[in-house]
Structure formats: C-alpha cells, structure tokens
Amino acid sequence: MTAFAQPPEPLALYGPEFAADPRSHYRRLREHGPLAPVRLAPGIDALLVTDYQAAVDLLRDTHTFTKDPRAWQATVPEDSPVLPMLGYRRTALFSDGEVHARYRGAINDSLALIEPHALRAEVTRVAGRLIGEFAATGSADLIAQYARRLPLHVLAICFGVEPGDGERIVNGIAGMFNSAENAAAAYADLVEVVTALVADRRAHPRRDLTSYLLGHPADLDDDETVRQITLIMSAGHDPTTNLIGNALLHMLTDTRYAGSLHGGAMTAHEAVDEVLWQDPPLANLAAHYPRHDTEFHGVRLRAGQLLLVSYAAANTRSESGPSDSAVRSGAGAHLAWSAGPHRCPAKQPALLIAMTAIEQLTSQLCDAELAVEPGALKWRPGPFHRALSRLPVRFTPVDMSAETHLHRADGEATDGPPAVSIGP
C-alpha cells in the first residue's frame, strides 16, 4: 500500500486565509497524495480528494461509496455550521439507487420545462433593468447589484416566489454556503419560505415549477417537495452568482481581455470556460462515505468517513488529470459540474444564465474597469465555494432610461414568453 504522509493536523478550509488564497492551500494538500486531511469547521474533519483521476473514480463508484451522510452525521454536533450543507435531507443529493432515481427524475423533468429561448429572453430583460438601475452612476458593485440579483429573479419566476421573499431566499442560501455560526438559522429560514410556498401551491396550483413538482408522477409529499426545491435553489443561485462574478473578474484582470470588458481578444464564453477550470464557483463538495472499511488510491478509509471532492484542486495541476495544454485546447473534461450519477442536472440553464448576463453587461458597459486593485478584493469565507464579496467597478455613465421603461419595478417583464412551459 502506498504510504500516506500525514501533516501535523488537517488544513483549515474556512476563514479568511483560505478564502484569500485557496490555490496555495491546494498545492500544500497535494504534497500528501491524492487525498489529504482538511478541517471544514472547528472539530469537523474530512479527507479532500485533490487528484483528478481519484475524483472521477470516487464520483462514479456507487458500489464502494454512499451519498447518505447519516452514519457520519451521528458523530457530528447538532449545531455544526456545516450541517446545512452536508446534513441529511430527503433529496437527490443525499440518496442512492432507486430513491435517488425517483428524486432525480422529478428534478430533471422539472428543469426540462425551462425553455432555453424564453429563459434567454427573460435574462436579457432583467439584465437590462438591473444595469439600468446603476448605469447612469458610473460605478457599481457587480455582485450585490447584478450577479446576485439576476439568478434570484429567474428562480422567483420559475418557482413562483413572492417578491417579498426573495431576500430571505438569497440570505438563506448564502448562509448555508458560508457555513458560519448563523448557517442553521439561515437554512431554517429558507425552508420556512419554501414550505409556505409549497403549502400555497398544494391548495392553489399555478403554472410554475412548484406546482409541477407537486403534481409529478414521482408523487412527492410536501416535505420531499420542499427539500427538492431548496436543493435546486441553493444549487442554482449561489454557484450561478459566483460563476458570473468570477468570470467578470477574470475578464477585468486578465491581460488577454485588455483589463476591461472592451477590446480584449477573449470572449465571455472563453472566460466562463476558464473559470470553470481554474476557479469553479463550487470549489469543494460531492460528499461521499465508504460503505465499509476499504482502501482508495492507496489510502485506508473507515466506514462512514467523510470524503469531499475538490473540483478546484482536481481541475488544476494534477498528475493524472489533463495537462495545461489540454485545458487550453478544450480537451478533457473539467469537474465543475461534477460527474457520475450525481452530476449537476442544471448545467445548461446555469450556463445560459451566466453567459447571457455577462454578454448583456459587456455590451452595455464596455469600458468598465476594476475600481480597486485586484489584491484588495475580498472573498467570502467558507469551505465549499469560491465567491467574491464585492466586485466594485467604474465606467462611463450611460443613460439607459429608454431601455428600462418596459420593465416593472419588481423586475417582472411586461411582455415576452414565460421562462417555463407547463402545458396549456
């Protein structure tokens, strides 16, 4: 068996040091082999898979590993800040086999109702409205004023969320990913909003995804419906926000993009692709647990031990992963969308939202540039995501009043097709 060099103690993946420079942490972790011990929160340890081939093998091995965390969870304090992300719920993310297939089928069928052309039109309209709110000022925080608000609008339209509940959803999801002291309260508030939504649609169905899930042949009960919706929302909002923000930062700082959103040789599509390889918005997740004591890539594992996949580390500089030249040429496959039976089911709508959002912004504010030095930017702490706190920019003020009058103050477009199609 290959020896596994243990560091003095697990490397912390929480706090400002990791958030500011995760790549140096990943380099240190790779020195200990394909799996390395990490600390997700005080007292919560795991093994992080940093090697590309090991990550792919783990994600595809449903015989050796389970997604059900309950054996591990029994060893964790009930108030642990990582449980809103890793604790068991009746969802596709925490299930295997037939149960997973049932939940996954309902999710896939629901997401299939999102019409790409209608979704692009919806994103274009709300992007124009959001940009119009700050275009005349000459400055903006592209996270708070744009990247965070745009995916929320799409989720609200698709699921029928009441306008006043939007901020609670965003705060609940952000609290989960931050995995700080308020994580449990944030997740509880998110569940409360969705529970009320599901109860309303059970009594009064509408043409939205909430009503569709309730009527799906999978015959989900109310709690199962709530859990699938919170899963879709959490996977659809924060990572999409981060993808938009990280790609815009890439375009603003990489010299191939001319240091602004105008005149560079690279496109928004290339920026998104490079971010998915180099700075994926969901950096470390895909929790797996050995069904029994075993050995995996030379490392002895205990039954029920927590393993996470580092998409970020596995994508970059792994001995058995794609080479730099392969990455640049588009060869191979990055792991930003995961792999195996639990790969992300919302890849296409998420890409469409991010690409459309970036294209709309770059077409309207083509001379935008960072308002601070790149080193002054702050990243949200947390072991699971790669997320900017703010993205301040300045630009030549633009009068877009003529383009924004077609949109209501609450962000709902006054014309155009719905983003989802649920029959007549």
Side-chain angles (χ1 to χ4, degrees):
M1 183 185 74
T2 303
F4 180 49
Q6 289 278 359
E9 67 176 57
L11 194 62
L13 298 189
Y14 60 95
E17 289 187 5
F18 173 71
D21 187 15
R23 293 185 185 182
S24 67
H25 286 67
Y26 297 142
R27 284 194 295 269
R28 291 169 58 191
L29 290 169
R30 289 197 198 96
E31 295 174 359
H32 303 288
L35 287 77
V38 295
R39 184 155 292 156
L40 306 179
I44 307 297
D45 294 346
L47 285 177
L48 189 70
V49 180
T50 61
D51 176 77
Y52 184 93
Q53 189 57 55
V56 171
D57 292 344
L58 177 66
L59 292 167
R60 293 176 175 172
D61 187 350
T62 59
H63 176 73
T64 307
F65 299 95
T66 177
K67 294 286 289 178
D68 189 327
R70 282 176 285 187
W72 165 81
Q73 190 173 339
T75 69
V76 175
E78 293 182 0
D79 61 351
S80 172
V82 302
L83 287 183
M85 286 292 291
L86 302 179
Y88 176 78
R89 271 95 65 186
R90 295 195 297 167
T91 73
L93 186 61
F94 301 107
S95 57
D96 306 297
E98 293 182 1
V99 175
H100 171 255
R102 174 171 167 257
Y103 292 150
R104 179 78 178 215
I107 291 172
N108 286 347
D109 291 347
S110 299
L111 294 176
L113 297 173
I114 302 176
E115 299 284 354
H117 296 295
L119 179 60
R120 182 183 296 276
E122 188 68 31
V123 174
T124 298
R125 284 191 292 271
V126 72
R129 182 183 68 80
L130 293 175
I131 295 168
E133 291 179 359
F134 57 75
T137 68
S139 65
D141 172 7
L142 295 183
I143 300 299
Q145 295 176 264
Y146 191 66
R148 186 174 295 139
R149 295 179 64 190
L150 197 149
L152 172 62
H153 173 87
V154 174
L155 288 174
I157 290 293
C158 290
F159 286 97
V161 176
E162 295 298 324
D165 289 332
E167 283 302 309
R168 293 176 66 189
I169 288 174
V170 170
N171 292 336
I173 294 169
M176 291 173 58
F177 277 92
N178 291 345
S179 296
E181 292 181 358
N182 68 335
Y187 177 69
D189 196 50
L190 171 64
V191 170
E192 183 177 304
V193 173
V194 178
T195 298
L197 174 65
V198 167
D200 179 79
R201 294 303 188 273
R202 179 72 80 180
H204 308 288
R206 300 183 190 176
R207 293 185 60 198
D208 54 34
L209 294 187
T210 301
S211 302
Y212 178 78
L213 276 169
L214 286 166
H216 190 273
D219 194 25
L220 304 178
D221 63 30
D222 283 3
D223 181 70
E224 289 175 313
T225 306
V226 168
R227 302 301 174 174
Q228 308 323 306
I229 293 175
T230 57
L231 172 62
I232 297 170
M233 286 183 171
S234 58
H237 184 272
D238 217 62
T240 305
T241 293
N242 301 340
L243 180 56
I244 295 170
N246 294 358
L248 288 171
L249 175 62
H250 194 51
M251 297 179 75
L252 289 163
T253 55
D254 192 302
T255 55
R256 293 169 299 165
Y257 300 87
S260 73
L261 303 183
H262 173 68
M266 307 292 280
T267 66
H269 176 82
E270 290 167 310
V272 167
D273 191 56
E274 289 190 348
V275 161
L276 290 171
W277 272 108
Q278 301 170 13
D279 245 344
L282 195 59
N284 307 298
L285 199 58
H288 285 72
Y289 309 86
R291 297 179 185 272
H292 46 76
D293 293 352
T294 188
E295 182 179 316
F296 180 73
H297 281 257
V299 180
R300 290 196 179 279
L301 304 176
R302 305 184 310 274
Q305 187 172 6
L306 171 60
L307 278 72
L308 296 182
V309 172
S310 178
Y311 306 127
N315 279 352
T316 56
R317 297 313 307 143
S318 168
E319 290 183 3
S320 55
S323 65
D324 284 347
S325 60
V327 170
R328 287 193 296 269
S329 67
H334 62 69
L335 296 177
W337 306 109
S338 193
H342 287 268
R343 65 191 178 278
C344 177
K347 172 184 175 180
Q348 295 307 321
L351 278 175
L352 190 152
I353 292 169
M355 289 294 304
T356 305
I358 294 167
E359 290 166 354
Q360 290 300 308
L361 188 78
T362 56
S363 67
Q364 299 292 343
L365 307 178
C366 58
D367 67 344
E369 61 183 11
L370 272 181
V372 299
E373 291 297 318
L377 293 170
K378 302 296 183 183
W379 297 83
R380 285 166 50 199
F384 305 112
H385 57 199
R386 182 61 170 158
L388 281 164
S389 296
R390 298 178 65 248
L391 185 56
V393 296
R394 54 178 174 254
F395 47 85
T396 302
V398 179
D399 182 5
M400 294 180 58
S401 57
E403 300 180 38
T404 58
H405 76 278
L406 295 177
H407 305 278
R408 298 175 184 170
D410 64 1
E412 183 180 352
T414 59
D415 58 359
V420 294
S421 175
I422 312 184

